[in-house]
Amino acid sequence: MFTVRTPRVVAARRLQRRRDRDETGRFLAEGPQAVREALKAGVVVEVFCTDEARARHPELTHDASLVDDDALQALTETVQPQGLVAVCRQRDVSLREALDRRPRLVAVCADIRDPGNAGTVLRTADAAGATVVVFAGDSVDPYNGKAVRASAGSLFHVDVVRVRDAVAAVAALRESGLQVLAADGYGETDLFELPAPARPTAWLFGSEAHGLPAALKELADARVRVPILGGAESLNLAAAAAVCLYSSAKAMRESE
């Protein structure tokens, strides 16, 4: 049974730091849902589990390395870990590779710094049928532990693209034929009044603190605001992303 001092556990634990994730191209996914989806995606390098988790999830742990409770606790970032952690290969693709698959719905996260928001947007985009999620500019690492947990397995379902040059990324989206819509609380176009052509669409989302950079707004075909019908000051990023992405998903379904 592995302990906190076992070299493979020590190496895996280092993946809690971004520097080590970037250097190795690997990350940690914890909990049965994430491990299950990682195994389906074929990106698992190794699974660590406790005795209890092996008994509870035999379908996920037949090749797993057994660890004691202290080692499992060291590998996880949650207060009550579920006994399973997988070391996974990062699954980034280039923007060109993603666009060559001709996606119909894309979510672009520009300068999003909160990992919980990043993971929730991944989950929301996957649920709405988006097949590409782009993390552009100075965005959080989508392989951050909190982001991976918040994605609830959706990280393994979509093409994940990371690009530094957000302006160039949006230009590439436009050149590939996608209409580009910027989610903007002060946008000129009301979401309810937005024409709903069944064109492939990329939605741009900025950070809650600063919104979208002006340069990206200028590249959009429309700057779209979600109407606030009650007394709420605004929607958070994840809620706004859900409303916008499902609006496009509805339009596309109705055109079929």
Side-chain angles (χ1 to χ4, degrees), residues 8 12 15 26-29 43-48 85-89:
R8 277 153 63 183
L15 298 176
R26 296 180 177 184
F27 69 102
L28 298 178
V43 297
V44 171
V45 176
E46 183 171 17
V47 176
F48 298 101
V85 179
V87 176
C88 305
R89 291 184 295 275

Side-chain angles (χ1 to χ4, degrees), residues 55 59 65 83 97 101 108 115-116 120 133 139-140 166 175 182 201 250:
E59 76 285 4
S65 300
E97 183 180 355
R101 297 187 180 119
V108 179
T120 303
V133 179
S139 284
V140 68
E175 290 169 6
T201 298
K250 179 176 182 291

Side-chain angles (χ1 to χ4, degrees), residues 47-129:
V47 176
F48 298 101
C49 74
T50 61
D51 267 328
E52 183 180 355
R54 174 172 283 178
R56 195 164 56 243
H57 303 287
E59 76 285 4
L60 304 178
T61 58
H62 59 278
D63 290 326
S65 300
L66 200 61
V67 296
D68 62 24
D69 289 339
D70 288 342
L72 194 284
Q73 188 69 55
L75 289 168
T76 60
E77 299 175 327
T78 52
V79 176
Q80 295 181 317
Q82 300 179 64
L84 278 171
V85 179
V87 176
C88 305
R89 291 184 295 275
Q90 295 181 6
R91 45 191 319 277
D92 292 5
V93 300
S94 70
L95 182 58
R96 176 45 49 200
E97 183 180 355
L99 293 177
D100 283 346
R101 297 187 180 119
R102 305 189 66 79
R104 297 191 67 198
L105 188 58
V106 175
V108 179
C109 300
D111 297 337
I112 290 178
R113 303 308 305 274
D114 182 81
N117 276 337
T120 303
V121 171
L122 269 167
R123 183 178 184 178
T124 300
D126 179 26

